[in-house]
Amino acid sequence: MQKQVIEYDGIPVGIAVPHSGKLRFIAVKFHVIDLDNGLYTDAGEVRAAIRQHLNMAQPLAA
């Protein structure tokens, strides 16, 4: 395992770094901050968690 940039819709939203045999997600964009420090088995699982999180997100009220 090695460090990887994680993108969503072509935009970098974080990085995944090896940690105890898994990948720890470090968020760099506010809209995925709730996933910060999450542990995942691979980059595909990180991307799936991001998709699920953003599909459930409520629009911000002005």
Side-chain angles (χ1 to χ4, degrees):
M1 287 187 183
Q2 57 188 16
K3 292 184 240 179
Q4 301 177 53
V5 173
I6 304 296
E7 294 183 356
Y8 179 79
D9 209 17
I11 299 170
V13 295
I15 60 170
V17 295
H19 180 79
S20 299
K22 294 192 174 201
L23 290 174
R24 179 177 301 278
F25 177 68
I26 309 298
V28 297
K29 294 291 186 182
F30 183 73
H31 59 282
V32 295
I33 198 72
D34 291 339
L35 302 175
D36 191 52
N37 283 320
L39 292 175
Y40 302 92
T41 57
D42 58 40
E45 188 177 20
V46 177
R47 289 182 190 96
I50 291 168
R51 276 192 306 274
Q52 181 180 12
H53 176 72
L54 294 178
N55 286 336
M56 292 177 27
Q58 299 292 321
L60 295 175

